[in-house]
Each structure stands twice: as structure tokens, then as C-alpha cells.
Amino acid sequence: MNQGFHIAVCGSLVPDPLQTLEPIAGPQGPALKNEMMLPAVLDPWASHALYEAAHLARQDGESRIWLVSIGPRARLQQLMMSIAQKAVFELVACDGPAGGFTDAAEVARVLADTVAAIPELDPQRLLLFGGCASASRDAGATLQMTGERLGITEQFLNVDELTVQEGVLRIKERIEGGRYLVSACDGPPAVVGWATGMLPEPPNNPQIGMQNMRSIMPALQRAKSVTLEAPELTFESVTVPQQRRDTRIVKDTPTDEIAAELVQWLREDS
Amino acid sequence: MSETPRQSLDVDIVCVGFGPAVGGFLTTLSGELTDEQGMPRLESHAMPGMPLQILCYERADDLGFGVSGVVTRGHALRTSFPDLETADIPLAHAVTQEDILYLQDPVGASRRGLGLRTVDSLLRAIRPVLPYADHALRLPYIPGFLRKEGGLVLSIGQFNQWVASRLMSTGLVQLWPGTPVAGPLIDGNAVVGVRLVDQGTDRHGQPAAGYMPGMDIRGALTVVGDGPVGPVGRQLDAHFGLPPGHHQREWAVGMKMVVDLSPDCELVPGTVLHTLGYPEPEIFGFVYVHADRVASIGIFVPSWLDSPVRCGYRYLQHWMQHPALWRHLQGGTLRSWGARTLQESGMRGEPYLVGDGYARIGEGSGTTNVLTGSGVDEAWATGVQLAEAVVELLQAGAPLSRQNLEKTYVERRRGSWVETEARRAINARNGFQRGFLTGLAGMGVTGLTRGALGLADRSQPVHSRVPTPEEFFRGKLTPADVLRVRQEAATRGEPLHDALMQRAGWPQVQYDGKLLLSQQDAMLLGGKVQAPAGYADHVVFVDPSLCERCDNRLCIEACSGQAILPGDEDSPPRFERDKCVHCGACVWNCTRARSSGEERTNIEFQAGAGGLHSAEN
Amino acid sequence: MEEILYIAHTDTGGNLGRQAREALNAALVLAPEGKGLAVAVFGRGAAAALQTLGGCGAGRYLVAEAAELEDSRYATDVAAIAALVDASGAAIVVGPGTARFRRSFPGAAQRCGGRVDTQVTAMEPAADGLRIQRWYYRQRMVATLARASRPWLVLTASGAFAPWSGTAAAVDARPVAVEAASRTRVLGVETPEADSQTIRPEADVLLVAGAGWTKKQADGQTHAAQAEQLIREFLERAQASLGSSKSLVDLSSEGEEVLSVFSHLNQVGQTGMAPRHSKGLATCCHGEEPHTVGWRFINERRAINLDPNCGWAQGKADVLYVADAFEVLARVNALLTPE
């Protein structure tokens, strides 16, 4: 009998990708200028993980989804408004920093502890979902360490497709050269770090929003405060490269001449 | 293909648009929803046994995106938040200093009539005895009706987010950004809710992958606060008409930047500068200085600037380079950029405020006061008034009917300072319909006599007063010049304004990569515009044949984001949604009236997702 | 200096790829001439592959060659890395940032009680250990950092280091036993058809196409079909990889008459990838930072644009050709045609 999956999606907020970012030295290490004013979105890859989780859960009636997020409570609250109409989930919130300079190992520690403490979550049915990397820390390491801490030995990264046939997970991972590695895993528990997946962003569904909000606000109020400190890690500098090139402008030149110059350049050994 | 059913959701109150008006409404209402023990005072009719179900839908991708920086006296805000600390709201600051600058034309391209040229000559002649510097006269006196003493400089984006955060943490109301409302659900003459936009469609609104018909959200009360060009408000106006004698013929596009000022800038936080006189006499400007060397700067390009190429962006660049402003702005860096429409008809444009099942608040209900230059405070106040009325009715178990809302909300509004000041302002701008100096004189007289005296309203619909480029540039450019520019622009698929303004004497803008940027770069760096797929285009050319014949495509020239561009030959303009900042200027800049005979133009501005992604504006 | 372990896996043919050689050079920065360096290889044909690195001068060589290590699979890979790290006793572990290691290195670090950094673009020895450089916020800013934890596992970013070009030499390798069970079976690799392949990480040239390709051209018309053909021809003839600006990908997802050659996988810039190629040619692109971060790791950059103020060019490219990309690319393609 298929009892369904228990899917814990790890993901939090990152700056809206269109924003201009500038690092500053904060009291706790590097941070972003105006971090609290920057519009934020759910990490794009984690969003895909959430949509894939919702898609998977729809295929049987018994799966459950938890979204496990670490971030400043007020910012998480705001983030929920933009995602809670898209997929049914139960929020498990931790009130803590969401910036990219927090160490992946620390984040993994808190995530693993938080997932392990979800009362109704069955570790044998667990699919630990998340993005293949965050758009902030951009390391692609947190999810695997979280999985390790939870004792999950079957892990997949950069996943674009997961299908289930008779309890076996068939998974496609992006590898070099635009190719896919295809694997079969004998069911949960497993870690799946999603790339973009194959699903479009779900529409906003007000009924889903209504349903989610009944649990989201209490979850935010329950959010435990967490600290993410990595005293072993020292940032010496964080900078935005400002290198300007001396651009040679070629204009009023016949097409043939430009093309010839380009072809010569393309053929040169670099 | 099986038809996807349209779903429906029953709630008690549904609000459209999250701005200051709905912020005021929900803040006041949520304060009355629970007793001292936190138990619900009012039970839901839609979901018996539950507390009152209150939802608000906002079309922008997040709350506080793409609105505006303001200076406000903040009366109503301080009443709602008696302990308001400006430090709690990012970019908020108390007003510390106010000045009005009359800007003369340092480049010689501005369109100034004989009267104004005479004034300018006189000022130059006696400037040694005047507070005159950098081609600008600092007015020695600011009339009381314009002063914002004791007020606040705000980023409305940040203010809205602050309000939203407080509201959400109560758990009593739900705010849903990224959810455009297509229009009201009208049953007879009652509004019974709203319909959300269809999702999963192509650009023409036809079902595509993931199609989901927009859900019907039904409620006993629909609170319409969707601003000056909101689709719900506009459809209500179309259905019910405007009250006799009312019209909406005064608009402006406000275009602004948030700027990181240079370290050398001497402007102190809380400084408010108003400007008039340049780049065209009709264009007013502002500088509001926030804390931490940040300023909001911008201009208003009004509908009575009768130019067929009134491009806010181009004017904004010339305005900020005026020596009296550039001395403060030079070395600054763009942080955020945006534009929006202002409904400047005020009370004269007031729609029916209530009907069975609905009430209108905020700018779309005519709250903007053009005499005092104030709108946020008024919008907030009308939200508060409606909330008080709704609580009164719900507690009495009375239906939210037109009659009951008239007796409670409308009466409160009529008896309030909002109404008193709006009445004083009703004729304040009439003179501008005839000319800049007449307008200034009329406004001064109206302001100083508290509305007792004013010029008569001789307005005409905006679309009917815009001259063609050939007419407008007569004397500066020959018809052959204009024709050549038209042909070149059509071939390149570009607007006319840059070429025409250049030929008419406006200097080419030398980009500095920081504040002086191409319009597209301002959008990329400051506006961060996005347009999600799966929605129909929200700008629609209603009768394409009217556009095909149109030789005065101001919609293209005035488009704040260059999202409306020349289409193929003999075709309507092209709309590129991914550049649209949802300012709504196209609606009133269209020069062709709809054949239905109303004062509506041939552009429909519908509910659309996406737009600016900045909450600093 | 601390003990350094260089670790690599072989590919399905039993070879060590370019990235593996880049990582070896990175390790040699920390252990000049191989002093204090252990070299480990696992996977199919690991023992033979190890000999190809024999000229690096490392003090020790380790190998793991069990059948279950031939496939790329998390459980077995992590077990192998952890066993090799343990056997080496190294404090700092350097490996190539291949897809296989990006998946397994972090878990191995956790299992070894260490820390990990990925996508590392520079390393330098310091008196108290090591400084690395890596990027944050989708290549928007670069940090220099140090860690006190050991073992410290470091994955190099592809293309950030020159590949090691030393010679093979016979070396004695100590076999390391790896015990791992897994519930995962590798079924195979799906390769896109040759003519539809537009992402070529190993290519010398990246062609970045912007939304300008879909706009009206000099004749007042759009020419999407012609644009697509020109781009496809160029990719094929120059064996180039294709990157796309966000706006162009967005247009594609809107079902506009655009270029079917693009998918979200092609997207570069702040919402996409920042690939590494030695040359890049931007065509019809527009936009300033942060859009141009897709350009960041391209060494030599040229751009074709009708707008001399093109944000991808001014101050960012080496050469800007103010010209019609349709005309130029057609001519370039003709010149690139094999005789």
C-alpha cells in the first residue's frame, strides 16, 4: 500500500534576482546593503522543488509537504504571501538569518534538527527536497550535508525530473554537456536537489492560499529563534568587481571587414 | 478539450489594491475584530463559526512595489499610529525644511509664452536683490496650503510594507500580492465580489498550458482601492457612470528616482524642494531627502501640457540637470526608478462612492488634493472612515447596502477634513487648462481664499486637446522636418520624442552611467521590471482600426517604460509587456476617443501581473 | 604547510578530464612540486589513470577501484571520498567541481567532520593555512575567506585554473578499500541529439544572444526565423555554446514568434548561469549589471550591437562592433563554412 511521501522542502528567501546588490561589512560579518529593504523571493531552485513536491503529492492523496525555512520572521511572513497560493504545504519556520554569508554547514545543522523534530514526519517516507544551490550562498552544499545529518545515503543533485513507478524513483540529474544521468532509487528516504525541473510555476489559487494561511500564521508565531554562527569561518573581504575594460569601438566599418576580423579572432588560440 | 470550471470562493470582505487607502481600512478594521482576550468580535457570514474573512488582492508582485515617494502632513497616519516613530519605517523622515524653486530655462528650449518670457526677463534684471542662484528663484514665501510643516517624507513602498507587516502579523486579514483582479462581479446594480484574472493564457487571453480561469471571490462588501487606473474602479465607472457634472480630465504621470546622493551633497534629511517652471513651465518637480544620503526626486507631467511628445523620462533627465538641482544631484547614483499615474481631478472626478455591496476609497475615489499637493493622507483617511462605518454596520447586523454605506461611510467622509479641503481645491487647477500663468494665478487665488474664489471649469477631455507634432512644433520645425522624423522613427521602430525634442533645441543627454542613463537602463537598474508569462496583455488597443488611422500616437511617446512602440506599418502600436511599469499613462495619453461616445480612449488598461520590482519608490 | 590531498574521479572511459587536471594544478599551488601532497583517484580504471598524474611529484598515491565506484552515485562516491580522506589524513582536500563531485563532496565533508567550499576560483597558501576565493549571490560578488576547521574540502570551479600539463610516470599507489551499499542503480546517460546541442561547456566560444534578435530590423520588420537560422549556423560552425539573455528566454516562454533554439538552460546573467569560456560574442544584448554577470567569466569579449551605448559592451567588452548583427553573423557564418 502506498502511504505517500513525506516531503520536506528546504528553502528560504533570497533577494529578488533583479536587484542591485552591494556587500557591506556588518557586525556579524559580511551582509548586503539595505538587506531588509531588498525585495525577496523564495529561492528560485527551492521554488521548483516546492512545485515538484506539490506535483508529486497530487499523484496520491496521502503525501504531505512541509516547507522548512530559516529567515527573519517578518521577511518569511512577507514571503509566504507570494508563495502560499501556489502549493499546499505546512510551514516550519525558524527565525534566523537568511543571507548568503551564513555557512552551509550551520544551515544544514539547523535544517536537519528542524526536519528531525517535525512530529508527524516519518523518516522512512522522507524525501528531502531543496534547490540544487541557493541563489545567495550559491554553494550547492547545504542539502547534502542536511541529508547526511539525517542519515540519508541516496542523494541526487541538479535534478530536472523525478517519476515514481511501483515505488521506485526514477531520477534525471543534469551533468556536463547538457546531458542527463538517469538513476533508479528504491524508494525513500532520499535527497533531491532540484534544478529547474520540468514544471511551470503553478497559478495563484486563492483556495490554496486560504487553506495554507490557517497553518502558516501559527507556524510563524511558533518559529523558534536560531543562531547560525561559524566562528571557524573568516571572511577577509567581499567585493563587487569593478573592473572596467577599455572597449575599442568599431563603427562605420564594412560588414565584410568586421566579419573577417571576427573570424580571425575566433580562429586564434586563446 | 474539457472545459476548466471557474471556481468560486466566499468571503466576507474583499479588497482590491493594497495602497494607503486599503492600508488605512484594514489597519482600522483589524483593530476592531477581536476583543481584549483576542476572541473574534464579528463572526463570518461566509464561513459560519469562523472569524470575519477578509482578503485583499494586489496586482503587483509584492506589496509596496512600484508606488511612490511622498511628502505628507501625515494627519491621518498619526491619528492611526499615535506612537509613530519614523525610525520604524525605512526611508521615513520628519520634514525639516521646505522650499519652492522657480526654475528658469538654462538651455533655451523650453516652451514659454510671452507672459512668462517677460517674467523671466524681469527676474533676471533684478536678480541681485532676489534669492536667485543657478537660474532659479527661491520663493521667499510658501503659502500655508502647500506647507507640510510637521509632516513626513516617506517612501510609500516602504510604508506600505510596514503597514502590511503589521496587518499580516495579526493573522486577521490576508494580503495576496501578485494576484490581479480582472473586474467587479456586478449583479443588477449590486457588486457581489470580484473576479481574478485568468491564469495560464496566451497574450491574447486564450487558454494555454496550465489554464486556470480567474476565480470568483464573492463577498458582502467589495472595497475598491485600486488607484487611479485600477480595472475594478474603471469598470464601475463604466457601469454606473460618474455623478452628474463630474469628469476625470486632469491627470499626470509622476516619474521618479530614488537616488544615493554623493557624499559631497549638502542636502539635509527631511528637506523638501518643490520646483516649477522647467523643463516646461507646466512640469512640477520635487526632491525629498530621506536619511542616509538618499533622496526621492521626480517630476509630474500633467495632461494639460499639450505636447504630443510629452515623454516623462526625457523631461526628467533635463529637469535633474537644471543647475539648481544638479549641484545637489551630481555624483549621485540611481537606486530605484518608477512612474505612476495620478488622478488629479480630485473631487470633480469623484465617482459614486458606494453602492450595494461596494465602497470606494483612495485616489480612485477622488481623494487627491491638487491644491495642497496631498493624496496619501487623504487616501488613508477615507480607508479609516470606511472601516469605522463597516464596523458600525456589522455590529448592528445591518446589510452593507448603498443606503447604509451612504449613512455611515459617505457621511463620515462628507463631514471630515478630507471633504472640506477637497471642496476648497475643486477649482484650484482650472486656470492651468488655459495656460501656465493663468493657472498659477488661479491656484494662488483659490488657495489664499480657501476656495471662495476660483476660475470656472472650462476643461475638455484630454484626448481632444492634444495637438499633432506638426501643430505643436510649428515655428520650430517645418512639416517636412516632422515628416522626416516620423519616417525615420517608423523604420527604426522608435518613438518620435528624442528626435523631435533634439531638433527643437533640447540638448542631447550625455549619459554618465549613474543618474543619466538611457531609458532602458533606468528600467533595468532602477525599475527591475518583470512580466510573468501566462497572463493576457493588460494594455489593449480596443478598436485597432482607430489606431491604424491615428497620426498622433502619444501613447508611444508618453509610455514610461517604452513598452508601447510603433507596430508594423498600418498596424496598432506594439505592446511589450516585459517593459511595462503599469503606470497607466497610456489610458489618458491616447488621443483617440472610443466610438461609444464616452470620454474613454481607445486604450483599455486591464489588470495585469508583473511590473516594477522595487519597494523603495 | 598542512597535508594536502588531491582527489579525482575518472570518467566512464577511465580517463581524467580537463577539470581534474585543473584541480591538480590548484592543489600544486598549495603543495609546490608535490611536497606534502597525496594524490588519490577512484572510479573505473583509476589505477591506470593515476599513472598519468605520476609526474606531479606527489609524496603519496592512493587508489580505489571497486566495481561499485565506476558509476556516479552519491552513496558510493561519498564513501570513497571519505575513505580516501581518512586514509590520507590530509587537512586540506582539493577536487574538481564536476557534477559528480558537486553532488558528493559536501556530504563527504560532513561525514569526515569537516567543512566544504565549492566553486572556488582562487587559492593561495597563507601562513596560517589557506585563503580561497569564491563567489556569492550568483557570481555577483567575490569573497576571500579562510577556515579553521579541518579537513577542509575544496572544489575548484571549472575553468578557473590552468590544467596541469605534466607527464605520466609510474607510481606505486596504495589501494584503499571502500565499503558502501546503495539503493540506487545508474541506468545510463541521456545525450541530446548532436544538432540540438546548444550548451557546450567545453567550447572555446560562448555566443550570447539578446532580445534584439526578435525586434524590428532596419526594414521595419521582425525576422525571427532568419535570426534562428543564423544563430544555429554559427553554433554549428564555430562549435560554440549558446547563452541567452533573460528577456529572450522570457519571450520564448510567452510563445512569441521567437527562437526555438533557446530554453531556460541557456540563460546567462543574474537569473541564469555564468559560464566560463575563453571567448564570448554578445549579439543584440542590452542591459547593465546585474544582467551582464553572465559575461563575468568570459576572458575575451566582443559585442555586436547597433547601439554604441550597449551595456554589454561599454567598459565590459574588449571590442564593440557597432553594426547589424544579422549582416555580420551571416558573413561570419559564410567565412566559417568548411571548404
Side-chain angles (χ1 to χ4, degrees):
Chain A
M1 190 183 77
N2 179 13
Q3 294 179 299
F5 298 110
H6 279 184
I7 309 174
V9 181
C10 302
S12 187
L13 51 96
V14 296
D16 176 298
L18 299 179
Q19 306 303 312
T20 305
L21 305 181
E22 191 181 328
I24 53 163
Q28 266 89 46
L32 294 182
K33 187 176 175 186
N34 302 317
E35 190 155 1
M36 295 303 277
M37 264 193 272
L38 285 172
V41 295
L42 181 62
D43 198 306
W45 290 282
S47 304
H48 293 298
L50 180 63
Y51 307 152
E52 294 284 348
H55 177 71
L56 199 55
R58 267 197 302 276
Q59 293 169 19
D60 70 70
E62 296 182 75
S63 291
R64 288 178 69 176
I65 300 171
W66 290 269
L67 176 64
V68 185
S69 288
I70 307 171
R73 189 201 306 251
R75 304 283 281 166
L76 285 179
Q77 176 182 284
Q78 196 177 347
L79 178 67
M80 290 304 124
M81 299 301 123
S82 52
I83 60 168
Q85 293 192 110
K86 297 200 176 289
V88 178
F89 61 83
E90 297 164 67
L91 177 69
V92 182
C94 297
D95 188 6
F101 299 107
T102 51
D103 194 29
E106 275 294 283
V107 179
R109 175 181 62 80
V110 173
L111 285 175
D113 291 350
T114 307
V115 171
I118 296 173
E120 294 162 24
L121 187 145
D122 177 356
Q124 292 311 309
R125 294 158 69 185
L126 173 61
L127 292 179
L128 187 73
F129 274 24
C132 56
S134 74
S136 52
R137 188 166 32 254
D138 206 5
T142 312
L143 203 60
Q144 298 96 306
M145 290 191 280
T146 309
E148 275 292 312
R149 283 180 171 272
L150 291 167
I152 305 174
T153 55
E154 309 312 305
Q155 300 205 16
F156 305 89
L157 193 69
N158 260 317
V159 174
D160 266 341
E161 191 178 295
L162 185 162
T163 51
V164 185
Q165 281 176 338
E166 295 174 355
V168 175
L169 314 176
R170 189 172 185 277
I171 290 167
K172 279 182 164 183
E173 292 170 281
R174 282 189 202 176
I175 57 170
E176 282 83 3
R179 295 175 303 159
Y180 282 114
L181 178 69
V182 188
S183 304
C185 176
D186 295 336
V191 173
V192 183
W194 286 91
T196 49
M198 304 288 187
L199 298 175
E201 183 171 327
N204 284 325
N205 185 327
Q207 281 173 334
I208 290 178
M210 284 288 254
Q211 186 181 340
N212 279 339
M213 287 314 287
R214 290 190 193 122
S215 65
I216 283 175
M217 292 317 295
L220 283 166
Q221 278 152 10
R222 277 198 308 271
K224 62 177 180 181
S225 183
V226 295
T227 50
L228 301 170
E229 287 174 352
E232 61 93 26
L233 172 63
T234 310
F235 284 93
E236 292 201 340
S237 68
V238 182
T239 55
V240 176
Q242 295 294 344
Q243 186 193 351
R244 279 189 73 79
R245 296 191 180 205
D246 189 10
T247 305
R248 172 167 66 93
I249 297 182
V250 179
K251 58 180 177 182
D252 304 326
T253 306
T255 304
D256 280 353
E257 222 170 282
I258 292 174
E261 185 176 313
L262 272 169
V263 169
Q264 189 189 353
W265 171 65
L266 290 167
R267 285 181 172 154
E268 275 168 12
D269 277 340
S270 50
Chain B
M1 197 174 82
S2 66
E3 205 163 284
T4 316
R6 189 182 298 281
Q7 295 174 300
S8 178
L9 183 69
D10 288 332
V11 301
D12 295 292
I13 298 175
V14 56
C15 308
V16 188
F18 187 78
V22 171
F25 174 73
L26 292 175
T27 297
T28 308
L29 184 63
S30 62
E32 299 293 331
L33 292 179
T34 52
D35 61 19
E36 290 74 18
Q37 280 75 45
M39 299 304 289
R41 277 196 180 125
L42 297 164
E43 190 182 329
S44 170
H45 282 274
M47 297 184 191
M50 302 279 286
L52 214 58
Q53 298 292 301
I54 305 160
L55 270 68
C56 172
Y57 291 109
E58 163 59 40
R59 58 137 233 101
D61 288 343
D62 208 342
L63 302 171
F65 273 2
V67 276
S68 189
V70 297
V71 58
T72 174
R73 289 170 299 177
H75 289 168
L77 303 184
R78 289 194 193 277
T79 306
S80 290
F81 305 111
D83 304 323
L84 180 75
E85 292 284 343
T86 53
D88 294 342
I89 309 170
L91 295 177
H93 202 283
V95 172
T96 54
Q97 185 181 332
E98 285 180 87
D99 275 312
I100 299 179
L101 298 179
Y102 169 67
L103 305 178
Q104 293 196 308
D105 176 6
V107 301
S110 183
R111 254 174 79 258
R112 297 169 115 79
L114 181 62
L116 195 57
R117 288 204 304 273
T118 309
V119 171
D120 283 343
S121 304
L122 188 65
L123 286 178
R124 283 196 189 95
I126 60 167
R127 67 187 172 193
V129 297
L130 292 173
Y132 183 101
D134 299 320
H135 299 271
L137 174 73
R138 183 170 55 79
L139 300 195
Y141 160 75
I142 302 176
F145 60 85
L146 274 178
R147 277 204 295 264
K148 300 291 187 295
E149 227 167 353
L152 299 166
V153 169
L154 286 176
S155 147
I156 286 297
Q158 289 299 307
F159 173 72
N160 280 351
Q161 290 207 340
W162 177 76
V163 173
S165 178
R166 292 172 63 104
L167 283 171
M168 286 188 282
S169 65
T170 66
L172 298 168
V173 299
Q174 294 184 19
L175 309 178
W176 297 112
T179 312
V181 174
L185 294 171
I186 301 176
D187 183 1
N189 272 335
V191 173
V192 295
V194 296
R195 174 167 292 175
L196 306 181
V197 296
D198 294 346
Q199 298 174 79
T201 71
D202 65 14
R203 302 189 76 141
H204 310 292
Q206 296 303 308
Y211 176 60
M212 183 171 130
M215 195 176 282
D216 286 346
I217 312 294
R218 293 175 176 272
L221 179 68
T222 299
V223 177
V224 184
D226 60 354
V229 288
V232 178
R234 286 171 55 78
Q235 286 176 52
L236 291 177
D237 290 345
H239 183 86
F240 295 111
L242 293 178
H246 285 208
H247 54 69
Q248 296 175 349
R249 295 174 179 171
E250 280 198 39
W251 304 86
V253 67
M255 186 174 283
K256 64 166 289 196
M257 291 176 164
V258 180
V259 176
D260 275 325
L261 297 168
S262 100
D264 307 327
C265 177
E266 292 169 357
L267 291 173
V268 297
T271 298
V272 173
L273 296 179
H274 301 285
T275 75
L276 69 163
Y278 183 81
E280 300 289 5
E282 295 89 341
I283 293 176
F284 294 176
F286 62 88
V287 175
Y288 308 144
V289 185
H290 308 282
D292 301 324
R293 316 203 75 78
V294 177
S296 293
I297 66 169
I299 57 168
F300 301 103
V301 180
S303 55
W304 32 273
L305 167 59
D306 290 326
S307 163
V309 291
R310 51 185 182 221
C311 166
Y313 190 75
R314 177 86 196 225
Y315 280 132
L316 178 63
Q317 290 177 309
H318 291 301
W319 172 80
M320 72 173 119
Q321 289 183 88
H322 189 284
L325 301 171
W326 197 237
R327 59 188 281 255
H328 300 302
L329 301 176
Q330 191 167 23
T333 308
L334 176 73
R335 229 165 103 145
S336 177
W337 168 89
R340 73 182 292 262
T341 279
L342 288 89
Q343 211 275 61
E344 296 205 326
S345 298
M347 233 188 135
R348 177 108 51 209
E350 184 185 284
Y352 291 105
L353 292 178
V354 296
D356 288 335
Y358 82 90
R360 301 184 63 168
I361 54 177
E363 189 173 352
S365 75
T367 51
T368 299
N369 190 311
V370 291
L371 180 60
T372 58
S374 178
V376 169
D377 217 19
E378 287 76 2
W380 182 275
T382 57
V384 171
Q385 290 157 2
L386 178 63
E388 290 168 352
V390 168
V391 170
E392 183 184 323
L393 292 172
L394 291 176
Q395 281 176 340
L400 298 163
S401 63
R402 183 186 63 76
Q403 205 175 13
N404 286 340
L405 289 164
E406 285 274 5
K407 272 193 287 192
T408 51
Y409 164 52
V410 178
E411 276 195 16
R412 273 182 171 79
R413 183 160 161 172
R414 299 288 180 234
S416 73
W417 62 269
V418 176
E419 176 90 358
T420 309
E421 295 193 353
R423 288 202 176 283
R424 286 177 195 161
I426 201 160
N427 290 316
R429 287 277 185 93
N430 290 346
F432 285 111
Q433 302 281 341
R434 297 171 223 175
F436 173 67
L437 283 180
T438 317
L440 272 192
M443 188 167 161
V445 168
T446 303
L448 296 170
T449 62
R450 298 178 154 243
L453 295 176
L455 296 169
D457 171 29
R458 282 200 228 145
S459 62
Q460 49 180 315
V462 179
H463 60 77
S464 65
R465 58 179 292 157
V466 186
T468 62
E470 286 78 0
E471 292 162 346
F472 182 77
F473 288 103
R474 190 172 294 150
K476 286 201 167 184
L477 303 177
T478 67
D481 284 337
V482 177
L483 180 63
R484 206 170 308 121
V485 170
R486 279 183 184 274
Q487 286 167 339
E488 286 168 9
T491 306
R492 288 199 303 268
E494 290 174 354
L496 302 172
H497 53 74
D498 273 335
L500 285 177
M501 286 177 70
Q502 218 110 314
R503 287 183 190 216
W506 288 101
Q508 188 154 14
V509 177
Q510 300 297 325
Y511 299 136
D512 65 4
K514 293 174 74 175
L515 267 187
L516 300 173
L517 304 156
S518 72
Q519 195 164 351
Q520 292 301 297
D521 281 345
M523 290 218 318
L524 290 164
L525 288 169
K528 294 133 181 155
V529 182
Q530 281 221 329
Y535 293 89
D537 278 350
H538 54 276
V539 169
V540 177
F541 304 97
V542 179
D543 176 357
S545 68
L546 262 187
C547 297
E548 286 160 17
R549 297 194 300 272
C550 179
D551 63 349
N552 202 3
R553 295 181 167 188
L554 181 49
C555 59
I556 294 172
E557 307 305 323
C559 179
S560 299
Q562 289 185 327
I564 300 179
L565 289 165
D568 293 334
E569 205 176 335
D570 297 329
S571 296
R574 196 169 79 238
F575 175 56
E576 297 187 357
R577 190 167 72 198
D578 56 329
K579 295 190 206 158
C580 179
V581 302
H582 293 251
C583 72
C586 48
V587 176
W588 53 270
N589 277 292
C590 171
T591 60
R592 293 295 178 266
R594 216 176 283 191
S595 50
S596 58
E598 308 154 26
E599 288 194 9
R600 294 167 87 81
T601 67
N602 197 38
I603 289 184
E604 192 53 82
F605 188 72
Q606 299 174 338
L612 294 163
H613 272 214
S614 167
E616 293 183 8
N617 282 335
Chain C
M1 187 62 199
E2 299 172 287
E3 286 288 316
I4 312 292
L5 171 66
Y6 161 82
I7 189 165
H9 63 80
T10 54
D11 60 21
T12 48
N15 301 309
L16 292 166
R18 179 188 167 102
Q19 285 197 65
R21 292 174 184 278
E22 290 171 2
L24 178 57
N25 243 356
L28 286 166
V29 172
L30 307 178
E33 297 170 2
K35 199 174 165 198
L37 177 69
V39 168
V41 178
F42 73 89
R44 182 195 301 266
L50 189 63
Q51 307 301 316
T52 66
L53 306 180
C56 75
R60 289 184 296 155
Y61 293 88
L62 308 171
V63 68
E65 216 177 14
E68 61 265 29
L69 300 182
E70 292 187 356
D71 286 326
S72 166
R73 177 174 38 220
Y74 178 85
T76 42
D77 288 349
V78 168
I81 299 163
L84 291 165
V85 171
D86 188 46
S88 73
I92 290 168
V93 182
V94 179
T98 59
R100 192 169 174 180
F101 271 4
R102 286 203 303 275
R103 181 179 58 196
S104 52
F105 246 53
Q110 179 65 40
R111 207 172 285 186
C112 297
R115 291 288 187 270
V116 68
D117 281 291
T118 59
Q119 301 278 15
V120 171
T121 50
M123 292 199 267
E124 62 175 283
D128 55 349
L130 164 66
R131 298 286 177 279
I132 64 154
Q133 201 179 65
R134 60 159 298 227
W135 294 73
Y136 284 80
Y137 290 97
R138 308 294 301 145
Q139 290 87 35
R140 305 275 286 280
M141 52 195 76
V142 62
T144 301
L145 58 89
R147 287 183 185 274
S149 291
R150 298 291 184 272
W152 183 7
L153 279 69
V154 173
L155 278 185
T156 57
S158 170
F161 299 87
W164 181 75
S165 56
T167 52
V171 291
D172 284 334
R174 175 183 149 199
V176 174
V178 176
E179 285 180 25
S182 176
R183 293 183 285 112
T184 297
R185 285 162 289 128
V186 174
L187 303 178
V189 170
E190 283 184 8
T191 307
E193 288 172 25
D195 64 347
S196 69
Q197 189 172 353
T198 59
I199 300 173
R200 301 184 173 101
E202 310 298 329
D204 283 337
V205 183
L206 173 75
L207 176 74
V208 188
W213 282 103
T214 65
K215 306 292 183 202
K216 277 180 150 188
Q217 301 304 314
D219 60 358
Q221 306 295 317
T222 59
H223 297 279
Q226 191 195 349
E228 172 149 1
Q229 192 192 345
L230 285 170
I231 290 168
R232 279 192 188 281
E233 275 176 13
F234 180 82
L235 295 177
E236 188 194 322
R237 293 178 190 178
Q239 280 298 294
S241 192
L242 177 63
S244 159
S245 70
K246 180 181 181 306
S247 55
L248 191 48
V249 171
D250 284 351
L251 284 173
S252 306
S253 68
E254 289 272 284
E256 286 292 283
E257 191 212 353
V258 285
L259 318 173
S260 62
V261 66
F262 294 105
S263 78
H264 59 270
L265 295 177
N266 293 102
Q267 193 170 314
V268 300
Q270 93 286 15
T271 48
M273 307 306 284
R276 288 167 192 277
H277 298 275
S278 57
K279 292 171 191 167
L281 179 62
T283 51
C284 304
C285 292
H286 188 84
E288 278 282 348
E289 293 275 15
H291 293 260
T292 53
V293 298
W295 225 190
R296 179 153 287 158
F297 301 118
I298 308 298
N299 297 340
E300 297 177 26
R301 308 172 193 165
R302 297 192 179 198
I304 309 170
N305 203 308
L306 284 168
D307 175 8
N309 287 306
C310 163
W312 284 66
Q314 287 284 2
K316 295 200 173 65
D318 306 307
V319 185
L320 165 64
Y321 300 99
V322 181
D324 182 332
F326 279 80
E327 290 174 13
V328 173
L329 217 59
R331 196 68 204 117
V332 166
N333 288 346
L335 291 173
L336 287 172
T337 307
E339 308 228 331

